[in-house]
Amino acid sequence: MPEMKKTRDVFLWCMSVVYLFAFASLYVQIPGLYGDNGVLPAKLALNTEANSWQELLDGQPTLLKLTPKLGLDVQTGMDLLCLGGILISFFCMVCRGGRDVVSFTLLWMLYLSMYQVGQTFMWFQWDILLLEAGFLTILIAPFKIQIPKLKFAPSHRHDKITMWLVKWLLFRLMFASGVVKLNSKCPTWWGLTALTHHFETQCIPTTFAWFWHQFPTWFLKLSCALTYVIEIPIPFLFFAPVRSLRIFAFFAQLLLQVCIIITGNYNFFNLLTITLCIPLLDDKFFGERESRKKKGSWSVLRLISNIVAPLAVLGYLGYQTIRLFSIKLNNDNTIDSKIAFTERDFSKWLEFIMPYTIGLGIISLGYEVLMVLISCLVYEKKMLMKFWSVLQAVIFASLAVGMFTLSLVPHSVVHKPSQKALWPSLLDYHAITHRYHITSSYGLFRRMTGVKGRPEVIIEGSNDLDKDWKEYHFLYKPGNVSAPLPFVAPHQPRLDWQMWFAALGSYQNNPWFVNLIYRLLTNQKEVLELMHKNPFPVNPPKYIRATMYHYYFTSSDTKNKLFSKRNWWSRKKMTEYISVLSKDEPTMLKYLQHERIIGDKSSKELKIKSTLGNGLLYIRGLVGQPEGFKFVMSIFGSGLLVNLLNVLIF
């Protein structure tokens, strides 16, 4: 079996970096999103203070229930947890010795605590993906204990079992992301035209998204077909016994994620997905020499496994891709592609393949466990070490079986009959653990939105109902048609993201939007710092309204240079999103009082007097709410510099 020591270290380092991005990005937004004067005050989402372990775990398992005992209010408590997450993840990034089970347990607990009060601004698939991946990282990270007369290696044989769980998570993520596109019956995904809309209608496009949007339709349709191939059949190669096929699967996933990074700002999600791909590799890939080299002539078996099998598998994959997507080369050097199967054909295939995905998981996990147990018995010389290695392997194999079994519930979400076939007790156990998000269901880009034009909500303020309406511009989301398209990942501007979702529905379905309007009517500093520039810097506007527009990328005919001053967007006014509101609007005030945004007398104000609380306030005063991308990258850059110095000096 290939060694995984270096591979595990790379995975743990990458997880440290992802946690650093997540905590740092969230920290700069706490006052504007979750502060007492924020859009959704976190204190309103926290139900109770914990006076026992039972109360701590009941309902919302969050450490914020303990912050009153430290003399902190909820906002300052969130600052404490976020700063703790930044410090621990930074330490794990720069210090190999810090990447252990204690550190990653703390990171998971801290992020889960933030998620529990994050409300709609943290209800994203990458947040729950980080929680599930973070929980698996706890199992992977070394548990540094010392027992007399036992000298432990820096890695363990059971690492292959725990790393397998990450491969299974990656398989579920990618397989579900491909299947839900077809399950949704979205005409753009079935017509292979989704990418002709995606780059224009995604939340925060990058500069390259504009250029990608200009590619010919035939190329974008072919790219859509290749997306299906990368997401549905290739993930089965994650469990291939042939090393070259696993490495091929790694680079296929890497290609997809890099393309998404280049064209869209999806915060830390793509970096996290790439991190989940690392267990597809081994130490040989990272330049480590194999500990046991097999000498001898080039055998027939090696020839089959290294050349014949990969060529046969990839050849069959290519043949089926051409057949199922009717790929044909035209005389004008363009390529035609269209889906050659029906919705009924796909439903039958999904019904056929789902039991095999579960069977594949069982066989693959069983193989890993068996090989680990054999290696423990064969390669450990001392009887005591044999016993210790086998004991660890059995413990972690049991945990892996439990995690795999629990994951079958969210895995089968894409095919309801398969989920109904599961044991009822398994559904009950999953319901019990669901609040900890140790295993969840996924499915990205289920339907393509904005097919008839990218919807955008534009907020305007004025002191006169009849004139002088001024737009509020956000830091990153489209508004000003000539503003450059930004690169902000791995930072996630959560208010900008929710504005994108708000435009897909109505303000009635996004009640936080009314809170935002009220904060703008009162010139709330914490909220305004999440936006580009306050058009009313002295006094707040008397009136605010919101209008729905449709935005469209300009064509290559109207913008042919990267640094041209011409517009990136054109827009068309559609309809009123929310009628004109003033600060004294009775209906709005009644709603805000009901939601306890204003006039809340049920919660007691906690005056911060502790040294810890004053220290956190001092740090917040120094840091403030800086631009998120610069803040995140400055911390990451500092960590990279320390890593470089460690390599050069030590």
Side-chain angles (χ1 to χ4, degrees):
M1 296 177 67
E3 295 292 331
M4 299 291 287
K5 175 184 172 182
K6 182 68 175 180
T7 309
R8 187 196 65 172
D9 289 342
V10 172
F11 173 80
L12 294 177
W13 184 86
C14 290
M15 282 300 299
S16 304
V17 172
V18 172
Y19 267 125
L20 180 65
F21 289 147
F23 281 112
S25 173
L26 188 56
Y27 177 73
V28 298
Q29 302 175 78
I30 288 175
L33 295 181
Y34 301 118
D36 292 348
N37 298 318
V39 179
L40 282 176
K43 66 179 182 180
L44 303 180
L46 196 61
N47 295 329
T48 183
E49 177 183 344
N51 293 309
S52 66
W53 282 105
Q54 185 65 33
E55 291 181 354
L56 180 64
L57 299 177
D58 279 347
Q60 301 165 290
T62 173
L63 296 174
L64 288 170
K65 293 179 180 179
L66 301 176
T67 52
K69 299 184 182 303
L70 300 175
L72 307 177
D73 59 12
V74 177
Q75 178 183 340
T76 314
M78 294 183 75
D79 280 356
L80 174 64
L81 299 191
C82 253
L83 286 173
I86 293 171
L87 291 174
I88 296 171
S89 56
F90 185 86
F91 178 67
C92 291
M93 177 185 176
V94 302
C95 179
R96 181 179 176 184
R99 297 193 282 270
D100 61 11
V101 67
V102 175
S103 296
F104 285 106
T105 300
L106 288 173
L107 288 171
W108 180 79
M109 292 170 61
L110 292 172
Y111 204 75
L112 177 65
S113 297
M114 299 294 291
Y115 178 84
Q116 295 295 343
V117 298
Q119 305 168 83
T120 188
F121 292 112
M122 288 190 74
W123 290 345
F124 295 100
Q125 291 199 43
W126 36 84
D127 289 310
I128 59 175
L129 179 63
L130 178 56
L131 287 172
E132 182 170 353
F135 187 80
L136 297 183
T137 306
I138 297 173
L139 302 180
I140 294 169
F143 186 53
K144 298 177 180 178
I145 59 174
Q146 298 295 326
I147 298 179
K149 298 183 180 180
L150 283 178
K151 294 183 178 180
F152 297 108
S155 62
H156 306 281
R157 300 192 186 280
H158 64 255
D159 289 340
K160 297 180 180 68
I161 299 175
T162 51
M163 293 287 274
W164 181 91
L165 288 172
V166 179
K167 285 198 293 186
W168 176 246
L169 169 58
L170 178 65
F171 174 82
R172 287 168 36 224
L173 171 67
M174 302 311 301
F175 182 76
S177 295
V179 167
V180 297
K181 294 177 176 62
L182 295 172
N183 266 350
S184 69
K185 300 181 180 180
C186 175
T188 62
W189 283 116
W190 276 92
L192 299 183
T193 59
L195 294 185
T196 63
H197 307 285
H198 166 72
F199 301 107
E200 179 181 71
T201 61
Q202 62 183 317
C203 181
I204 305 175
T206 68
T207 301
F208 288 107
W210 185 90
F211 288 96
W212 222 281
H213 184 72
Q214 314 302 325
F215 281 133
T217 300
W218 69 263
F219 178 81
L220 296 176
K221 291 180 69 175
L222 181 63
S223 300
C224 189
L226 293 177
T227 299
Y228 280 129
V229 175
I230 293 174
E231 291 184 338
I232 299 178
I234 287 183
F236 285 89
L237 300 182
F238 297 168
F239 309 104
V242 180
R243 177 177 180 269
S244 56
L245 288 176
R246 297 194 300 272
I247 293 178
F248 169 79
F250 168 82
F251 280 110
Q253 302 304 319
L254 181 65
L255 173 65
L256 176 62
Q257 299 307 317
V258 169
C259 288
I260 297 174
I261 290 172
I262 291 173
T263 58
N265 289 290
Y266 291 92
N267 52 81
F268 58 80
F269 167 65
N270 304 109
L271 298 176
L272 176 56
T273 305
I274 292 172
T275 299
L276 298 180
C277 294
I278 291 174
L280 300 176
L281 308 173
D282 53 36
D283 287 5
K284 184 179 178 181
F285 179 87
F286 293 105
E288 295 290 318
R289 292 184 178 181
E290 293 180 295
S291 58
R292 302 176 186 83
K293 290 189 176 180
K294 296 182 180 179
K295 298 181 180 180
S297 59
W298 186 268
S299 65
V300 175
L301 183 62
R302 292 178 64 190
L303 175 66
I304 293 174
S305 64
N306 291 333
I307 297 179
V308 177
L311 288 177
V313 171
L314 297 182
Y316 178 75
L317 181 63
Y319 166 74
Q320 290 293 354
T321 300
I322 293 172
R323 185 179 72 86
L324 294 174
F325 293 98
S326 298
I327 297 175
K328 294 184 293 186
L329 180 63
N330 298 323
N331 294 330
D332 58 355
N333 292 326
T334 62
I335 298 176
D336 275 343
S337 57
K338 64 178 180 179
I339 290 180
F341 52 90
T342 64
E343 293 180 9
R344 185 178 179 184
D345 292 334
F346 178 73
S347 297
K348 286 184 176 180
W349 177 84
L350 187 59
E351 183 179 3
F352 166 79
I353 203 66
M354 281 301 296
Y356 283 95
T357 63
I358 298 173
L360 176 64
I362 294 172
I363 294 171
S364 179
L365 177 57
Y367 172 80
E368 293 288 351
V369 172
L370 178 62
M371 295 303 294
V372 166
L373 289 173
I374 291 175
S375 67
C376 291
L377 294 172
V378 173
Y379 296 116
E380 294 294 350
K381 302 302 181 183
K382 296 181 180 180
M383 185 59 65
L384 186 58
M385 289 305 299
K386 284 181 187 289
F387 171 78
W388 179 243
S389 297
V390 169
L391 178 62
Q392 291 181 92
V394 170
I395 292 173
F396 281 93
S398 301
L399 290 172
V401 170
M403 289 295 298
F404 170 75
T405 306
L406 274 179
S407 71
L408 295 181
V409 177
H411 172 58
S412 57
V413 164
V414 296
H415 187 246
K416 292 300 182 182
S418 297
Q419 190 173 60
K420 291 179 180 178
L422 298 175
W423 307 290
S425 58
L426 182 56
L427 299 175
D428 295 336
Y429 283 125
H430 181 265
I432 293 172
T433 60
H434 179 67
R435 58 184 170 178
Y436 299 102
H437 297 282
I438 59 176
T439 179
S440 303
S441 60
Y442 307 98
L444 301 166
F445 306 109
R446 188 183 305 266
R447 296 188 66 88
M448 194 53 56
T449 59
V451 174
K452 296 182 180 180
R454 173 197 180 92
E456 281 292 346
V457 176
I458 301 301
I459 301 175
E460 299 170 290
S462 176
N463 289 311
D464 190 320
L465 283 173
D466 299 321
K467 60 181 180 179
D468 296 332
W469 288 94
K470 299 178 182 179
E471 291 187 17
Y472 283 87
H473 293 300
F474 288 73
L475 285 171
Y476 313 107
K477 91 173 189 69
N480 183 350
V481 294
S482 62
L485 302 177
F487 284 94
V488 299
H491 170 58
Q492 182 183 0
R494 294 179 181 267
L495 180 59
D496 294 59
W497 264 88
Q498 282 305 133
M499 286 295 295
W500 181 76
F501 281 105
L504 299 178
S506 64
Y507 76 89
Q508 291 91 342
N509 296 326
N510 298 273
W512 60 268
F513 187 80
V514 179
N515 305 353
L516 173 64
I517 296 298
Y518 179 76
R519 297 306 189 196
L520 298 181
L521 284 168
T522 56
N523 256 7
Q524 201 62 55
K525 178 184 176 183
E526 295 90 338
V527 175
L528 286 166
E529 287 186 351
L530 297 175
M531 306 179 78
H532 182 259
K533 188 177 181 180
N534 182 11
F536 301 92
V538 180
N539 296 308
K542 292 182 179 179
Y543 309 102
I544 279 185
R545 69 185 183 188
T547 306
M548 178 72 76
Y549 283 80
H550 277 182
Y551 275 62
Y552 309 87
F553 272 148
T554 53
S555 68
S556 56
D557 296 330
T558 59
K559 186 177 183 66
N560 50 30
K561 292 183 180 180
L562 177 60
F563 300 104
S564 170
K565 293 183 179 180
R566 298 172 185 171
N567 294 341
W568 294 93
W569 300 96
S570 63
R571 71 179 187 179
K572 179 181 179 182
K573 187 175 181 179
M574 300 303 295
T575 185
E576 177 183 85
Y577 186 80
I578 193 170
S579 58
V580 177
L581 294 174
S582 65
K583 186 174 66 173
D584 301 322
E585 172 66 34
T587 305
M588 181 179 68
L589 292 177
K590 184 178 179 180
Y591 162 78
L592 295 172
Q593 289 171 353
H594 178 266
E595 295 296 315
R596 297 189 293 160
I597 300 298
I598 60 175
D600 181 25
K601 298 180 181 179
S602 59
S603 60
K604 297 179 181 179
E605 293 292 332
L606 179 63
K607 293 184 179 180
I608 299 174
K609 297 181 180 180
S610 65
T611 303
L612 175 62
N614 289 328
L616 291 168
L617 291 175
Y618 176 74
I619 294 173
R620 174 58 73 182
L622 288 177
V623 176
Q625 289 181 262
E627 196 275 320
F629 177 75
K630 294 178 181 177
F631 180 76
V632 169
M633 295 308 294
S634 63
I635 297 177
F636 173 66
S638 301
L640 277 185
L641 180 60
V642 175
N643 283 142
L644 179 61
L645 292 176
N646 285 337
V647 172
L648 295 177
I649 296 175
F650 302 105

